[in-house]
Amino acid sequence: MLNFRLHHLKLRNKLIVIYVICVFIPIVLTNVMFYHVTTINVKKQKTADAEQAITLLQSELRALIDDAAGISYLYSIDNQLNNLLNIDHTSYDRYVESLSGVSNLFNRADKEYKTISSVTIMSDNPTILTSGHIIKLEDDIRDTDWYRQIANYNNTYPHLFVTYDSISVIQKLSDRRYEAYENVIKIDLNKNYVTQILDLSGFEGDIYLLDPSNQARYGRLASGQPSKLITADRTLRLNEIPKPNKAIVISKQYQSNRYLGDWKVYGVLDEENILYDVRQSGRFILWFAGINFLVPTIVILIFSRSIHTRIQDILKHMKSVRGNNFERVPYYQERDEVGELAVEFNRMSARIENLINDVYVSEIQKKELELRQRQAQLHALHSQINPHFLFNSLETIRMRSLMKGESQTAKTIQNMAKIFRKSILWKRSFVTIREELELIECFLEIQKYRFDSKLEYHIEVDQSVMDIEIPKMAFLPFVENASIHGIENIPGIGYITIQIAQEQEQIIFIISDNGVGIDQEKIDELHRYFHEDAAMGDSIGMKNVITRLKICYGESFNFAIISDPNKGARITLRLPITRKE
């Protein structure tokens, strides 16, 4: 079925289908799949690199904060510093003397810890004087956010405090439940060092530091600038953090740490930025696909034009042959299959033209003459059948009328009138089976009138075949032969049975009788008429019917005789069905 449908496509359309399926679609699919796979791989790799960068940044920030927490821990366990902060100094000199004892502690922190911006100790001990790293804990300090964050804590553990522009570690150095004075240390991380860590992290997006309540306390954009949405008076909730349409979010949470527990390093990456190089290469792929599309298209168009135009030219000349135009196809010594086709067509065209001129015209004239002759013979036969039959019938009627004067004479005359009328009115070569049967019944009724009670007949006809056309008087001569030659010479009652039916695409006519039968010589003569092209004679009978049927149907009809001497005969005709259009 598929091959049959493909055969209906023109050659040019077939070439287009081949091009689309074998060139265009594979090129498009290949480039699309290549671009898609490349995009996925680059996205996966960039995401993995970004996640690794966030993990490294988280680790470095933790190390930085751990250093500050370590310093605060060292300060909290230093006995000299605790004595300095918690005793009442009786004089300025005594305080200076105690302060000089812990100066090495501050100097070491300044020299060894470059990640620390400042270390400030605040105390509400009234005997302490403000100096360098130690200042008084006054009300303005207690009003700050970082102090309020640790005010309710009695423990002496470090606490992380982050603002939009600083990161600090704060720790109480004394417990007010057990000591008279409150002492707090605040260590500020080196802002430049934190910025350097962020710059070297390799993360190409926005970075935020989220507290345990998912508030963004610190933000740095991909451009290297701090987030303007985070200020001294404002933080960002998690759902307020700006994200692009296609965002890749990476969140790393600190675990198992007192001062960093539940803090997060939150990174937002724009997918369009990480796929920028792929998008740029996509233009190259597009140009490359365009070249792959354009070049094969031009080549296929050139080659298909070479084939299509020449085949169209050959087809045009082929169609012109139907009008007896045998013009040759222009040939320029092409060596491909189309060129060979043109050569063969020119050779064939020349041969056909010669055959038509030399043979076909004369043969047509001969066939037309023979057809006219056969038609003339057919018309002559028709003109002979009707007078011959009418003569015998009228003679019978005359003799019966003279001898008996029966009332059946009127019916016989009516049947004769029908036959005579139909013989005059039938001007066409084909009639329906219904019309043929009317003629047969009229003939048999007349024969019954002739033979008195010596003839009986029975007709069986399939009603579906009544309107099918057959040659005029195709069956009647067989009926006449059965009644006159078969029944007339037997001593008893003669029976004639006629059956007409349809079998597949054939009309089956069977006539059988119980008469004297047909001798073998007569059967051989009829078969000779059937198998040989014998000329139609002047007599009326089955031989000329067979000749007429051969004229009408050629070899498409079948004729068979079964006969035993003194037991009757059975004749079968098989005619092809010719329906009205």
Side-chain angles (χ1 to χ4, degrees):
M1 188 65 178
L2 179 60
N3 289 336
F4 179 75
R5 291 180 179 175
L6 289 178
H7 294 337
H8 291 295
L9 285 177
K10 295 192 179 221
L11 179 61
R12 189 169 188 178
N13 294 335
K14 289 179 181 178
L15 292 175
I16 292 174
V17 171
I18 292 172
Y19 166 70
V20 170
I21 295 176
C22 299
V23 178
F24 179 73
I25 293 178
I27 288 176
V28 171
L29 289 180
T30 300
N31 286 279
V32 169
M33 291 301 298
F34 174 76
Y35 180 76
H36 181 66
V37 171
T38 302
T39 301
I40 291 175
N41 291 337
V42 170
K43 181 180 177 181
K44 288 181 179 179
Q45 184 61 44
K46 290 286 187 179
T47 303
D49 293 343
E51 189 168 354
Q52 185 177 1
I54 288 293
T55 302
L56 181 61
L57 176 61
Q58 179 194 27
S59 177
E60 291 180 346
L61 287 176
R62 177 170 185 163
L64 184 63
I65 296 170
D66 283 346
D67 287 343
I71 294 174
S72 68
Y73 177 73
L74 291 176
Y75 279 48
S76 66
I77 63 175
D78 189 275
N79 293 328
Q80 289 183 336
L81 180 60
N82 287 330
N83 290 333
L84 176 67
L85 297 174
N86 293 311
I87 64 174
D88 294 328
H89 301 282
T90 57
S91 65
Y92 175 74
D93 293 335
R94 293 292 299 273
Y95 173 74
V96 173
E97 181 181 354
S98 298
L99 181 61
S100 61
V102 297
S103 59
N104 292 332
L105 182 65
F106 294 117
N107 292 334
R108 188 177 67 179
D110 292 339
K111 292 179 181 180
E112 294 182 2
Y113 296 98
K114 303 299 182 183
T115 60
I116 304 303
S117 173
S118 64
V119 178
T120 304
I121 298 175
M122 288 149 280
S123 177
D124 61 354
N125 187 341
T127 61
I128 290 178
L129 301 177
T130 299
S131 62
H133 295 284
I134 301 176
I135 62 174
K136 286 190 175 183
L137 181 60
E138 298 179 345
D139 292 339
D140 59 338
I141 294 176
R142 287 189 172 93
D143 290 335
T144 59
D145 291 336
W146 64 265
Y147 181 83
R148 285 196 293 267
Q149 180 177 324
I150 66 169
N152 297 325
Y153 293 107
N154 293 321
N155 58 60
T156 57
Y157 298 120
H159 295 275
L160 183 64
F161 181 76
V162 179
T163 65
Y164 73 100
D165 64 346
S166 66
I167 300 176
S168 304
V169 174
I170 305 167
Q171 181 178 349
K172 287 186 176 183
L173 298 178
S174 60
D175 191 342
R176 289 297 300 271
R177 294 176 298 176
Y178 309 108
E179 298 177 359
Y181 301 110
E182 182 180 5
N183 303 307
V184 180
I185 182 171
K186 181 174 180 290
I187 302 175
D188 297 325
L189 300 183
N190 190 333
K191 183 178 180 181
N192 294 330
Y193 193 82
V194 173
T195 302
Q196 184 179 2
I197 290 176
L198 296 175
D199 291 337
L200 297 177
S201 66
F203 187 76
E204 300 176 358
D206 302 337
I207 300 173
Y208 298 91
L209 196 58
L210 275 61
D211 63 14
S213 63
N214 284 330
Q215 297 286 329
R217 299 284 180 176
Y218 180 84
R220 179 181 176 276
L221 304 180
S223 61
Q225 300 298 320
S227 174
K228 295 182 179 180
L229 299 177
I230 302 176
T231 62
D233 301 325
R234 183 187 177 192
T235 59
L236 288 179
R237 292 192 297 272
L238 184 62
N239 58 356
E240 294 177 340
I241 295 176
K243 298 182 184 67
N245 291 332
K246 295 183 178 179
I248 298 175
V249 176
I250 301 173
S251 179
K252 295 293 181 179
Q253 182 173 334
Y254 289 101
Q255 303 289 339
S256 303
N257 192 298
R258 289 182 176 178
Y259 48 91
L260 276 175
D262 295 333
W263 280 78
K264 298 183 185 70
V265 178
Y266 191 82
V268 178
L269 196 62
D270 190 352
E271 183 178 313
E272 293 297 327
N273 291 338
I274 66 174
L275 296 179
Y276 176 77
D277 294 336
V278 179
R279 301 282 189 259
Q280 292 297 111
S281 63
R283 297 180 181 177
F284 171 76
I285 294 174
L286 184 62
W287 280 102
F288 187 70
I291 295 173
N292 286 341
F293 170 73
L294 185 61
V295 172
T297 301
I298 295 174
V299 173
I300 288 177
L301 286 176
I302 293 174
F303 279 90
S304 65
R305 176 177 168 77
S306 170
I307 298 173
H308 179 72
T309 54
R310 290 189 294 152
I311 289 181
Q312 286 290 103
D313 194 26
I314 294 174
L315 183 61
K316 181 181 71 174
H317 284 79
M318 284 183 174
K319 291 180 178 179
S320 66
V321 171
R322 291 184 296 184
N324 293 329
N325 181 8
F326 297 96
E327 182 182 357
R328 307 299 187 265
V329 176
Y331 175 62
Y332 304 102
Q333 298 184 347
E334 300 96 337
R335 297 184 180 180
D336 60 356
E337 289 80 356
V338 180
E340 293 178 2
L341 182 63
V343 171
E344 294 301 324
F345 172 78
N346 290 339
R347 185 181 293 115
M348 179 189 68
S349 179
R351 292 187 64 184
I352 292 175
E353 188 175 15
N354 293 334
L355 287 173
I356 289 177
N357 293 333
D358 298 342
V359 179
Y360 188 61
V361 171
S362 61
E363 187 67 22
I364 289 177
Q365 292 174 350
K366 180 180 177 181
K367 291 293 183 183
E368 288 180 351
L369 182 61
E370 182 180 349
L371 181 61
R372 290 195 187 100
Q373 182 180 0
R374 289 182 181 273
Q375 288 177 344
Q377 290 176 340
L378 183 61
H379 288 305
L381 177 63
H382 289 165
S383 65
Q384 292 173 359
I385 288 176
N386 291 330
H388 175 77
F389 171 65
L390 290 175
F391 175 78
N392 292 334
S393 299
L394 290 173
E395 180 65 18
T396 301
I397 294 171
R398 185 181 70 83
M399 293 297 296
R400 296 284 294 186
S401 297
L402 291 175
M403 294 173 63
K404 294 186 177 182
E406 296 178 351
S407 61
Q408 293 180 349
T409 302
K411 183 172 179 61
T412 303
I413 294 173
Q414 182 182 13
N415 290 329
M416 285 297 303
K418 287 183 180 179
I419 294 175
F420 186 70
R421 184 166 52 252
K422 288 183 180 295
S423 65
I424 294 175
L425 295 178
W426 280 358
K427 300 299 183 182
R428 60 188 189 276
S429 298
F430 281 78
V431 296
T432 63
I433 292 178
R434 187 189 309 278
E435 293 172 322
E436 182 78 5
L437 282 175
E438 289 178 0
L439 190 62
I440 290 173
E441 287 179 351
C442 290
F443 172 79
L444 289 174
E445 288 296 323
I446 293 173
Q447 290 300 91
K448 286 186 68 176
Y449 182 81
R450 286 182 61 198
F451 298 145
D452 197 8
S453 60
K454 189 177 180 179
L455 175 65
E456 296 292 338
Y457 69 89
H458 176 68
I459 299 176
E460 294 182 10
V461 183
D462 185 351
Q463 294 300 312
S464 63
V465 304
M466 295 294 282
D467 294 322
I468 296 177
E469 291 187 343
I470 59 172
K472 180 168 60 176
M473 293 186 183
F475 299 155
L476 181 60
F478 295 99
V479 178
E480 180 184 5
N481 186 78
S483 64
I484 296 176
H485 301 290
I487 303 299
E488 187 172 359
N489 296 322
I490 64 173
I493 298 176
Y495 294 97
I496 296 177
T497 302
I498 298 172
Q499 295 173 301
I500 303 176
Q502 178 179 351
E503 183 178 303
Q504 295 181 351
E505 290 299 316
Q506 288 184 325
I507 295 296
I508 310 299
F509 171 81
I510 301 174
I511 180 170
S512 58
D513 63 70
N514 62 341
V516 298
I518 304 175
D519 58 31
Q520 189 61 41
E521 182 180 355
K522 184 68 174 180
I523 293 175
D524 293 339
E525 184 180 359
L526 292 174
H527 279 298
R528 186 170 62 253
Y529 268 79
F530 179 71
H531 292 290
E532 297 179 2
D533 191 13
M536 184 166 55
D538 295 332
S539 62
I540 306 301
M542 292 187 295
K543 294 187 294 184
N544 280 346
V545 172
I546 293 173
T547 303
R548 287 171 53 215
L549 293 177
K550 287 188 68 175
I551 294 174
C552 294
Y553 296 115
E555 302 296 330
S556 299
F557 86 101
N558 185 268
F559 170 77
I561 299 177
I562 300 175
S563 178
D564 292 327
N566 300 318
K567 292 184 179 181
R570 177 187 175 94
I571 299 175
T572 303
L573 287 179
R574 293 179 178 268
L575 307 181
I577 296 177
T578 56
R579 301 184 184 275
K580 296 180 180 180
E581 296 184 358

